[in-house]
């Protein structure tokens, strides 16, 4: 299945059916009176988040969605059938954005969450509603109410607890494969990963979701390489794992390059908790890896871990550290939400 994280669709609800002008005409009934029924209501356009989807690829083949119109009312006070609504199913984590691609209409972060994006028009009233003591044979009925239509952008931001960042070929895909049942493409050339990958990590009887995105290069914020197109998938992560190849000639410069691109993209990423690790430890002698760690720790002022996806060295320790940050961030956010509710009148 191909990965697509943005799509534009045009949606249109159904207009309401017109009311009927009709009079009761039956044998042996002298004064029949009006009996025109109401028009049916037009169908809605509903968007619903579901669990079993992880791409917007379906919207590459269908971009227009039009609900059924309501049918006209009929005699004998029969209301016209309502138009059928259309439910558009999207992955959990999809943002519905206005046509300007900036205004967020709804952020769908839970399975089953739904919104009526375009409401169908109400049916018009038949002539029965206009009967009065001075107008006992009204020949008036209402037209159905108009429909709604709009164009919206769907933007998918994957739901992951932790995210992998680093330059191309930093060992992110190897780490993801060693951490979970995910099987991303692994090869000895840059930009092996062309779209985000997710894996479920099990550690100490707990699970969390780890996301791997295509590597960043200097100038990514200006569109170089694959650019920052997929960085939005990290916005929902609680913690970032920054991997640097232990054989890098200047690991400090490499670290700063990636951090600068994250900073240029959005403050929300640069402010997230970060774990820094030297990857591919199996490719160098232990004393050389240790020397690289000392250089990096001194240059960035942070503790640096050593991992190897090929030999599993340090992988579980980093898993536990990621899990610790995920739990801490969730508790902090829950406390902030509780405090905010406490100040409400």
């Amino acid at each position: 299945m191909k990965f697509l994280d943005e799509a534009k669709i045009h949606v249109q609800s159904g207009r309401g059916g017109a009311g009927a002008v009709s009079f009761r005409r039956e044998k042996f009934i002298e004064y029949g009176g009006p009996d025109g029924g109401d028009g049916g209501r037009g169908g809605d356009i509903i968007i619903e988040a579901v669990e079993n989807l992880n791409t917007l690829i379906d919207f590459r083949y269908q971009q227009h969605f039009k609900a059924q119109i309501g049918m006209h009312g009929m005699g004998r006070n029969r209301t016209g059938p309502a138009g059928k609504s259309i439910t558009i199913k999207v992955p959990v984590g999809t943002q519905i954005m206005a046509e300007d691609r900036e205004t967020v209409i709804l952020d769908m972060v839970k399975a089953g969450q739904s919104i009526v994006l375009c409401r169908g028009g109400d049916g018009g009233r038949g002539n029965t509603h206009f009967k009065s003591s001075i107008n006992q044979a009204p020949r008036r009925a209402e037209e159905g109410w108009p429909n709604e239509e709009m164009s919206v952008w769907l933007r998918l931001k994957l739901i992951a607890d932790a995210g992998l960042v680093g330059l191309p070929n930093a060992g992110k895909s190897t780490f993801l494969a060693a951490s979970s049942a995910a099987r991303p493409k692994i090869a000895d050339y840059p930009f092996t990963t062309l779209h985000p990958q997710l894996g479920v990590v099990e550690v100490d009887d707990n699970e969390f979701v780890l996301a791997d995105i295509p590597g960043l290069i200097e100038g990514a914020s200006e569109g170089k390489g694959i650019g920052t197109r997929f960085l939005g998938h990290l916005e929902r992560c609680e913690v970032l794992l920054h991997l640097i190849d232990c054989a890098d000639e200047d690991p400090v410069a490499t670290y700063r390059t990636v951090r600068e691109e994250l900073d240029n993209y959005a403050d929300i990423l640069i402010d997230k908790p970060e774990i820094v690790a030297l990857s591919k430890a199996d490719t160098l002698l232990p004393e050389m890896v240790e020397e690289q760690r000392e250089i990096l720790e001194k240059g960035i002022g942070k503790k640096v871990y050593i991992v190897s996806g090929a030999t599993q060295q340090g992988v579980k320790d980093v898993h536990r550290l990621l899990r610790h940050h995920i739990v801490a961030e969730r508790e902090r956010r829950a406390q902030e939400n509780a405090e905010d509710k406490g100040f409400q009148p």
Side-chain angles (χ1 to χ4, degrees):
M1 180 184 291
K2 293 184 178 180
F3 183 82
L4 187 70
D5 60 353
E6 277 193 351
K8 184 179 182 181
I9 61 173
H10 185 81
V11 293
Q12 179 179 340
S13 61
R15 60 176 173 80
V21 175
S22 175
F23 295 92
R24 184 180 181 187
R25 300 184 185 278
E26 296 181 42
K27 193 174 183 181
F28 305 122
I29 298 179
E30 184 176 0
Y31 302 105
D35 68 350
D38 300 338
R41 187 175 179 277
D44 298 328
I45 297 292
I46 304 167
I47 294 187
E48 180 184 4
V50 296
E51 287 183 329
N52 59 342
L53 293 177
N54 56 11
T55 176
L56 300 176
I57 189 64
D58 292 341
F59 301 104
R60 174 168 290 178
Y61 309 107
Q62 182 180 3
Q63 296 88 31
H64 294 265
F65 298 87
K66 185 176 180 181
Q68 193 176 32
I69 65 174
M71 303 304 293
H72 298 325
M74 295 166 281
R76 298 184 182 178
N77 290 314
R78 289 176 294 174
T79 300
K84 292 182 179 179
S85 298
I86 292 179
T87 299
I88 303 172
K89 296 182 178 181
V90 298
V92 176
T94 301
Q95 288 183 330
I96 304 171
M97 312 190 73
E99 200 166 5
D100 60 9
R101 303 182 73 171
E102 294 181 359
T103 306
V104 178
I105 299 173
L106 184 65
D107 196 357
M108 313 190 76
V109 296
K110 296 180 180 179
Q113 189 175 358
S114 64
I115 180 177
V116 177
L117 196 58
C118 288
R119 186 179 182 276
D122 291 328
R125 293 180 295 175
N127 67 336
T128 303
H129 292 275
F130 299 98
K131 178 181 177 181
S132 67
S133 59
I134 59 175
N135 186 9
Q136 297 186 12
R139 297 183 177 274
R140 172 189 171 191
E142 291 179 337
E143 293 292 328
W145 289 80
N147 57 356
E148 297 177 351
E149 62 178 309
M150 62 192 304
S151 293
V152 296
W153 281 90
L154 303 178
R155 179 178 297 169
L156 175 60
K157 293 183 178 180
L158 296 176
I159 304 294
D161 302 306
L164 289 167
V165 296
L167 290 184
N169 245 23
K172 301 187 300 298
S173 296
T174 303
F175 185 88
L176 180 65
S179 302
S180 67
R183 289 295 173 262
K185 185 178 180 181
I186 300 172
D188 189 19
Y189 57 83
F191 297 113
T192 308
T193 301
L194 297 177
H195 55 77
Q197 300 277 349
L198 294 179
V200 178
V201 180
E202 296 184 9
V203 55
D204 299 334
D205 297 327
N206 292 299
E207 293 182 347
F208 64 87
V209 179
L210 181 64
D212 173 26
I213 67 164
L216 299 172
I217 63 172
E218 186 175 359
S221 58
E222 300 171 0
K224 293 183 180 180
I226 300 182
T228 57
R229 174 184 171 188
F230 297 112
L231 280 181
H233 296 286
L234 300 180
E235 291 183 17
R236 305 184 193 276
C237 295
E238 308 290 358
V239 57
L240 301 179
L241 175 58
H242 189 162
L243 294 183
I244 301 172
D245 190 342
C246 67
D248 197 293
E249 294 181 358
D250 192 347
V252 176
T254 296
Y255 171 83
R256 290 174 178 167
T257 295
V258 174
R259 293 293 289 178
E260 184 177 349
E261 297 306 321
L262 294 178
D263 191 21
N264 289 337
Y265 175 79
D267 291 340
I268 189 174
L269 293 184
I270 204 70
D271 293 336
K272 286 185 179 295
E274 180 193 45
I275 299 171
V276 183
L278 287 171
S279 62
K280 303 182 181 180
D282 57 291
T283 61
L284 292 180
L285 295 174
E287 54 268 25
M288 297 176 68
V289 177
E290 191 62 34
E291 182 180 349
Q292 286 285 76
R293 173 161 70 172
E294 292 176 1
I295 294 173
L296 186 55
E297 286 184 342
K298 184 178 180 180
I300 66 176
K302 291 184 177 181
K303 181 175 177 58
V304 177
Y305 297 84
I306 296 175
V307 297
S308 169
T311 64
Q312 295 286 327
Q313 177 185 351
V315 172
K316 284 300 179 183
D317 292 336
V318 170
H319 288 169
R320 293 186 179 95
L321 194 57
L322 288 171
R323 172 67 184 169
H324 171 76
H325 280 283
I326 292 169
V327 172
E329 283 298 304
R330 287 176 179 172
E331 291 177 350
R332 181 189 61 80
R333 193 163 57 247
Q335 184 176 359
E336 288 180 353
N337 292 337
E339 290 175 355
D340 290 341
K341 291 180 180 179
F343 284 111
Q344 292 179 359

